[in-house]
Amino acid sequence: MAATSVAAGTASAAAPEKNAEATKKTADANAATLRNEAQLQKQTGLENVRRMQKDAARQMGEARLDAAQSSLLREGSVPVREQALAMRLQTQIQDEAAQAMRNAQALYNRADMEQYMGRSNARAQKTAAAGTLLSGFAQGGNSLLKW
């Protein structure tokens, strides 16, 4: 009877132990996926910024060409309009870069949290497994004492 209790406790403890390992591996895999997605988000954001900078240079050139074709002197409202356009375009570029970095950071944070939660759950499962094992030994010991 005592051996049966110990064997049952050992078998019951083995399953949560394997489950804990699987939980940890799943969390690590999910975290790696999120980190890859964050890296992709950063690269996409940087590429968008490069594209926007090229487009801004084109738009500034078109604005200068329009001003020159209208035969206005480069005084007064034309430089002010060019400056306003340049500031608006630069603000859009900076906003795009900041948004890409915020998105990437949010994904990195989610990856860290996923890994933390996976490890925490795995530890809890291992603790439960140890409790089950100790319970099996205790029941086996009680059976021996009663015998």
Side-chain angles (χ1 to χ4, degrees):
M1 180 73 172
T4 305
S5 295
V6 172
T10 304
S12 294
E17 185 74 27
K18 287 181 182 179
N19 195 21
E21 248 342 277
T23 298
K24 184 180 174 299
K25 286 180 181 179
T26 299
D28 288 345
N30 289 343
T33 299
L34 287 168
R35 285 190 181 96
N36 288 339
E37 191 176 332
Q39 188 62 31
L40 182 62
Q41 189 74 235
K42 279 181 12 182
Q43 290 171 349
T44 301
L46 290 174
E47 184 57 36
N48 287 342
V49 165
R50 281 189 210 101
R51 234 178 280 131
M52 290 175 78
Q53 287 171 334
K54 287 179 184 178
D55 187 54
R58 182 192 55 76
Q59 287 183 43
M60 288 299 297
E62 287 175 359
R64 287 186 190 108
L65 181 62
D66 287 346
Q69 287 177 344
S70 69
S71 69
L72 292 174
L73 296 174
R74 293 195 52 83
E75 296 174 3
S77 65
V78 173
V80 171
R81 281 193 325 219
E82 283 182 10
Q83 185 178 16
L85 176 62
M87 287 177 60
R88 182 176 55 81
L89 293 171
Q90 186 59 34
T91 300
Q92 288 174 346
I93 291 168
Q94 289 171 340
D95 288 349
E96 174 68 26
Q99 184 62 42
M101 292 304 123
R102 278 192 300 272
N103 290 344
Q105 189 59 49
L107 288 169
Y108 283 126
N109 292 344
R110 278 182 49 205
D112 291 343
M113 184 54 73
E114 178 77 25
Q115 214 163 22
Y116 170 79
M117 292 302 293
R119 289 182 178 158
S120 178
N121 288 339
R123 269 189 240 113
Q125 290 169 351
K126 286 180 181 181
T127 301
T132 302
L133 184 61
L134 289 175
S135 175
F137 282 123
Q139 287 176 357
N142 281 341
S143 296
L144 282 176
L145 291 175
K146 288 179 184 177
W147 202 52

